[in-house]
Amino acid sequence: MRKSYNAAHVYMIVGVVSGLFYREFTKVNRFTGETQLALMHTHLLALGMLGFLIVLALDKQFQLSGTTLFTCFFWFYNAGVAITVSMMGVHGIATVLGHHVPEAVPWIAGVGHLLLTVGLILLFVLLGKRLTEPVKPGTAESEPAKTSA
């Protein structure tokens, strides 16, 4: 669970910093048009921070971490976010500076999206397995609800 917490924390910091970078970089370059830099902030906060906070809550409930599937999800998903957001940065900086965006950028971003998809599939497979496992005796779910007097 600590890995999910740390990942969410790092994504929060990088997401906030990327928003600051977008604002200041476009201001310094007197850029007023559309740029991918504006989207980095939200992608990092939504896919990164919020995504891992949700995974943290699911992990607390369903004990996801510590499994091979979780480790695979964690690295595929993080690699996908990192590659996708990095290409947004490359595309955005090139746009602000008035440079040509290399043809490889959308292709590499596509690879990032594929890795994200693989990570999400692995997460859903793991969740599906946990939902179909029988409840272990002595757990909160197997005990009858206690009423207070």
Side-chain angles (χ1 to χ4, degrees), residues 36-117:
Q36 292 283 312
L37 291 177
L39 305 174
M40 282 179 60
H41 172 73
T42 353
H43 276 72
L44 285 164
L45 292 177
L47 290 174
M49 183 190 74
L50 292 176
F52 274 104
L53 287 175
I54 291 168
V55 168
L56 180 62
L58 290 170
D59 192 9
K60 180 77 173 169
Q61 182 67 32
F62 298 107
Q63 295 80 41
L64 303 175
S65 57
T67 65
T68 303
L69 270 177
F70 183 83
T71 301
C72 290
F73 149 74
F74 185 85
W75 291 111
F76 272 101
Y77 189 82
N78 275 304
V81 172
I83 291 169
T84 301
V85 171
S86 295
M87 289 304 102
M88 292 172 87
V90 169
H91 190 282
I93 290 170
T95 302
V96 170
L97 296 177
H99 297 157
H100 171 73
V101 177
E103 302 257 340
V105 169
W107 287 96
I108 297 170
V111 170
H113 282 83
L114 286 172
L115 293 172
L116 269 167
T117 303

